[in-house]
Amino acid sequence: MAMKITVIGLGYLGATHAVAMAKVGHQVIGIEPNPQKIASLSQGKAGFFEPGLDEELAKQIASGRITFKSAHDEESREADIHFICVGTPQTPGSMAADTSYLVSAINDVAPYLREDALVVGKSTVPVGTAVSLTQQLAKATGFSAPNLAWNPEFLREGTALEDSLHPDRLVIGVTNPRAEELLRQVFAPMIAEGIPFLVTDLATAELVKAAANAFLATKISFINAMAEIAEVSGADASSLAKAIGYDERIGNKFLRNGVGFGGGCLPKDIRALIARAEELGVGESVAYLHEIDKINLRRRDRVIHLLQEELGTLSQKRVLILGAAFKPDSDDVRDSPALAIALLAKAAGAEVIVHDPVALHGVALKHPELTLEQSLHQAFTNVDAVVLATEWKEYRELDPTTVTPRNKFIIDGRNVLDVAKWQQAGFKVQALGRTITN
Ligand code: UDX
């Protein structure tokens, strides 16, 4: 049965969730204070690169199931569920998550909340946030028991809509049967598809997301730690990952070694988990996550080391970084390993050229010290070294005989190139996690 819902905060998470909810048949009002974002969304443009999202958004606007507003109005009062999808970025100067946008969202929705309506947090939060937001909601509305639930979102950039529509599981943290019933209704099409639906308390639902991301980060840093050993022992970390991955208890996913993880979630979420555990007096439980972070950051230094091994000093050298986004099929450069390597090479004295098929707009204003190049072939002109840092399809499929840098040296930071092919084209190839004979 179609429900009326609002989706508050229309960044990556909110815009995708709003479109997904409209697609499964609900009537959605998207709310976001930024007027430019509202204008863009209303014209069918999410404002970030996400395959398939703009097309689906346009369809849902045409169907009349989704509209956008810069603030709540009387129409919000008709909604049965209000999903809060605002960001929880890392607090500057601290590892903790900044939850102030959630507090504002709660205060904004309070005057328009029916007593029988449900507020559902989807943002990634420190465990315990939902309880304090419920208290705040009680104060702001005057209701004795406002209904607030938590429903973490596990979508990945690049496959966001697909992940929202067909998640591996749905997790809801609730405090009463009415909340569960409303959430069962809103997710009915997914439940009917057989997607596991887990009902928990608020704290567990909050912690599931932090735990999942900590586990994923741990997997990546584990294989990157093995890569460090492989590099000094002659072993090959990619073959190692394949071999251990056949063990079903280990599994072969998220064991790709390379320049490490980045993005708007994994790095900040492990830091937020450390900060919250420390606040709760159990910091030692996740103290190992400091190492996970450090292993991840050391991979960036390894690339600079390989460049220096090949070129000596980087001063006066032109280094091309292939990729700026933290992963392919995204224009997100938050905490991007590729961008970090570009800046490290620059700091080491190199002239740095960066190519990316879609993410350069996010680099241009912030980093005028980097030279940005839109044309892939042009980018190779007169360079002394190339670093493949984001595994875009166009890099994986690039014919090495068609590019002519002044020195043919490439570092495969993601282990995706056909080494023999590049060597045949005259390139010296290095990669992370293995030693290549050239
Ligand atoms: C992540 C979680 O996967 C998702 O469930 C959560 O909702 C948000 O955070 P996302 O940030 O979109 O999603 O990216 P993800 O695909 O998880 O990749 C994160 C980073 O890890 C990327 O920089 C990627 O290149 C890197 N990565 C991933 C590896 O280095 N090796 C791997 O094996 C997998």
Side-chain angles (χ1 to χ4, degrees):
M1 194 186 67
M3 300 171 89
K4 191 148 198 172
I5 66 175
T6 74
V7 176
I8 302 162
L10 299 171
Y12 225 100
L13 166 61
T16 310
H17 182 62
V19 172
M21 288 290 97
K23 188 171 165 67
V24 300
H26 299 303
Q27 194 65 42
V28 181
I29 310 168
I31 295 170
E32 155 73 50
N34 180 341
Q36 277 146 348
K37 236 181 200 176
I38 292 298
S40 159
L41 283 159
S42 305
Q43 285 160 22
K45 302 244 170 298
F48 50 85
F49 180 82
E50 179 60 40
L53 186 63
D54 283 356
E55 289 81 347
E56 194 57 48
L57 171 59
K59 267 196 222 162
Q60 296 311 322
I61 292 172
S63 78
R65 280 198 291 270
I66 192 165
T67 54
F68 298 100
K69 288 179 186 172
S70 59
H72 291 278
D73 58 22
E74 284 308 311
E75 210 190 344
S76 288
R77 211 180 290 283
E78 295 165 23
D80 308 299
I81 302 188
H82 303 271
F83 283 102
I84 302 190
C85 300
V86 296
T88 49
Q90 189 173 341
T91 308
S94 149
M95 288 204 297
D98 173 1
T99 54
S100 60
Y101 296 105
L102 284 163
V103 176
S104 309
I106 288 282
N107 286 337
D108 292 346
V109 75
Y112 300 95
L113 196 65
R114 286 199 328 260
E115 198 156 5
D116 64 340
L118 177 67
V119 175
V120 182
K122 282 189 83 66
S123 315
T124 302
V125 290
V127 59
T129 305
V131 167
S132 65
L133 291 176
T134 308
Q135 287 159 358
Q136 197 201 325
L137 200 55
K139 232 193 264 165
T141 54
F143 302 158
S144 56
N147 205 354
L148 187 138
W150 217 262
N151 164 230
E153 175 62 57
F154 304 97
L155 63 81
R156 290 161 299 177
E157 297 190 19
T159 50
L161 191 57
E162 196 48 32
D163 287 349
S164 285
L165 289 165
H166 309 285
D168 290 345
R169 74 303 207 183
L170 285 159
V171 179
I172 62 156
V174 293
T175 54
N176 58 69
R178 162 131 180 104
E180 179 180 339
E181 187 197 312
L182 282 168
L183 285 163
R184 279 189 185 277
Q185 264 181 49
V186 83
F187 291 123
M190 289 140 175
I191 297 170
E193 229 181 73
I195 290 168
F197 187 79
L198 284 90
V199 183
T200 71
D201 51 80
L202 291 176
T204 305
E206 293 171 311
L207 201 52
V208 166
K209 178 62 190 280
N213 276 355
F215 194 83
L216 293 172
T218 301
K219 266 193 119 172
I220 299 169
S221 276
F222 173 81
I223 200 62
N224 281 335
M226 293 302 113
E228 290 187 6
I229 299 174
E231 282 158 6
V232 292
S233 63
D236 178 330
S238 300
S239 304
L240 175 80
K242 198 169 166 189
I244 62 171
Y246 276 115
D247 184 327
E248 282 178 7
R249 294 167 302 173
I250 296 172
N252 60 9
K253 300 219 174 98
F254 255 68
L255 276 182
R256 280 179 282 117
N257 76 290
V259 292
F261 60 82
C265 293
L266 260 47
K268 89 159 166 70
D269 289 352
I270 60 170
R271 291 171 200 151
L273 182 56
I274 295 171
R276 187 61 182 143
E278 282 171 1
E279 273 169 22
L280 293 170
V282 288
E284 284 196 354
S285 61
V286 285
Y288 84 95
L289 287 175
H290 284 291
E291 283 307 318
I292 298 303
D293 206 4
K294 279 195 216 158
I295 294 166
N296 193 49
L297 298 177
R298 276 206 299 272
R299 292 286 77 194
R300 304 168 183 191
D301 299 331
R302 171 72 183 164
V303 173
I304 302 302
H305 177 76
L306 286 172
L307 284 172
Q308 285 165 336
E309 233 174 39
E310 174 66 15
L311 303 175
T313 170
L314 297 190
S315 150
Q316 314 280 322
K317 302 288 169 22
R318 283 169 55 85
V319 175
L320 166 61
I321 310 293
L322 293 178
F326 82 104
K327 68 179 203 180
D329 291 327
S330 166
D331 63 354
D332 195 343
V333 295
R334 284 177 294 170
D335 233 315
S336 162
L339 186 55
I341 290 165
L343 294 170
L344 285 174
K346 180 75 199 173
E351 184 185 336
V352 179
I353 299 102
V354 181
H355 176 273
D356 191 286
V358 300
L360 293 184
H361 66 93
V363 185
L365 285 177
K366 273 198 192 148
H367 299 291
E369 70 273 35
L370 302 173
T371 305
L372 309 183
E373 179 54 64
Q374 309 269 359
S375 150
L376 180 55
H377 283 82
Q378 194 64 33
F380 280 78
T381 310
N382 285 331
V383 303
D384 299 291
V386 183
V387 178
L388 189 159
T390 311
E391 67 275 34
W392 282 99
K393 189 161 174 260
E394 37 271 81
Y395 306 155
R396 285 186 273 125
E397 292 178 352
L398 183 63
D399 177 351
T401 61
T402 63
V403 288
T404 48
R406 70 180 171 209
N407 181 42
K408 290 190 166 181
F409 174 65
I410 186 162
I411 298 171
D412 184 357
R414 295 286 187 177
N415 285 295
V416 289
L417 295 181
D418 179 339
V419 173
K421 198 161 115 187
W422 281 76
Q423 285 178 327
Q424 272 156 24
F427 277 82
K428 181 174 177 185
V429 185
Q430 278 303 350
L432 296 188
R434 60 187 162 152
T435 312
I436 295 174
T437 314
N438 283 282

